[in-house]
Amino acid sequence: MTVSFHKFGHHFFPGTGRLKDNGFGAGKYYALNVPLRDGLTDDNFSGLFRPITEKVMQVYIPEAVVLQCGADSLGGDRLGNFNLSVKGHADCVCYLRTFNVPLMILGGGGYTLRNVARCWFYETAVAVDVEPDNELPFNEYLEYFGPDYTLHVEPSKMANLNKTADLENMRTFLLDQISRLQHVPSVQFQTPPSTTAVPEQEEPDMDGREKPQMWNGEACESDEE
């Protein structure tokens, strides 16, 4: 199952990830897209991420979570055009830790390098339950973090194009979609293979394998809407 919170717009690459792009066939409803517009604030993000994530954890009951934290959603990024603070961005890490499931955190995105460093440093600290000092210690790269030389910076003042009513309607729509899910199928544990050396064998004949087929997009209902 995938859940994606991302910038969306007709002229924003790659132009996918609409609200109704929710999978097809056996994967119907197992893809959640939360398309957002310029100027997203900490409160906007938390108001969507927390209830949607809580519902996913209650209904789907994942055994592990991979969280990809794109720093391009921070305020001041050259591409993302959101208005999240470092702490507001890290709220996703903080909240997912409360569910006490195996959690892998990955970085990604980010086109204002000094803020990427701030973001990943702080979210690593959150992951290990440490609150670092706001004042940055002396280091060979300190000049890049001027003029304030602090970990946390004020978000930009760009206009927020995310209307409250639109966000509420999207949250309601997605919570209803999650309610249609079945929880993750359980996987039986198997005995790991022995590490004892075994005699070399001839490779199996792979000529009889079924060749993979490319999806042609015809079954995607959202493309017709």
Side-chain angles (χ1 to χ4, degrees), residues 7 18 23 25 30-31 33 46 62 72 74 76 80 90-91 103 106 114 130 134 146 161-164 167 169 192 194:
K7 169 71 178 292
R18 293 174 296 177
Y30 287 93
N33 282 295
S46 179
D72 49 355
L74 283 174
D91 184 66
L103 175 62
L106 309 175
R114 61 185 179 275
V130 171
N134 186 35
L161 303 184
N162 296 276
K163 298 180 180 179
T164 301
L167 295 177
N169 290 337
S194 172

Side-chain angles (χ1 to χ4, degrees), residues 3 5 34-36 40-55 84 87-92 95 160 162-175 178:
V3 184
F5 297 77
V34 188
L36 303 163
L40 186 79
T41 66
D42 290 352
D43 289 341
N44 292 157
F45 179 54
S46 179
L48 288 170
F49 185 87
R50 285 182 171 245
I52 290 173
T53 299
E54 180 182 23
K55 190 77 170 179
L84 298 183
K87 284 191 174 182
H89 191 279
D91 184 66
C92 57
Y95 188 60
N160 185 0
N162 296 276
K163 298 180 180 179
T164 301
D166 292 340
L167 295 177
E168 291 177 351
N169 290 337
M170 181 161 55
R171 181 172 59 242
T172 300
F173 177 88
L174 290 170
L175 291 176
I178 298 168

Side-chain angles (χ1 to χ4, degrees), residues 70-189:
D72 49 355
S73 50
L74 283 174
D77 190 81
R78 295 179 180 180
L79 180 62
N81 292 330
F82 284 170
N83 203 26
L84 298 183
S85 68
V86 173
K87 284 191 174 182
H89 191 279
D91 184 66
C92 57
V93 178
C94 182
Y95 188 60
L96 272 169
R97 287 188 70 237
T98 67
F99 292 95
N100 198 30
V101 299
L103 175 62
M104 177 184 288
I105 303 172
L106 309 175
Y111 303 94
T112 299
L113 296 184
R114 61 185 179 275
N115 288 344
V116 174
R118 286 180 165 104
C119 177
W120 293 347
F121 168 73
Y122 186 71
E123 292 185 353
T124 300
V126 170
V128 296
D129 201 21
V130 171
E131 183 60 37
D133 292 335
N134 186 35
E135 185 175 347
L136 298 178
F138 178 79
N139 63 84
E140 60 181 308
Y141 301 103
L142 191 61
E143 61 181 291
Y144 294 99
F145 298 90
D148 49 7
Y149 306 102
T150 57
L151 173 60
H152 299 285
V153 294
E154 290 294 323
S156 59
K157 303 297 182 183
M158 68 181 305
N160 185 0
L161 303 184
N162 296 276
K163 298 180 180 179
T164 301
D166 292 340
L167 295 177
E168 291 177 351
N169 290 337
M170 181 161 55
R171 181 172 59 242
T172 300
F173 177 88
L174 290 170
L175 291 176
D176 177 70
Q177 178 177 322
I178 298 168
S179 298
R180 303 167 184 260
L181 296 176
Q182 294 182 355
H183 62 78
V184 61
S186 60
V187 179
Q188 295 181 352
F189 287 100

Side-chain angles (χ1 to χ4, degrees), residues 194-216:
S194 172
T195 57
T196 304
V198 295
E200 293 186 2
Q201 298 179 353
E202 294 183 2
E203 294 186 2
D205 181 8
M206 308 300 285
D207 293 339
R209 288 191 305 178
E210 187 178 85
K211 294 182 179 179
Q213 296 181 351
M214 294 293 292
W215 172 58
N216 59 16

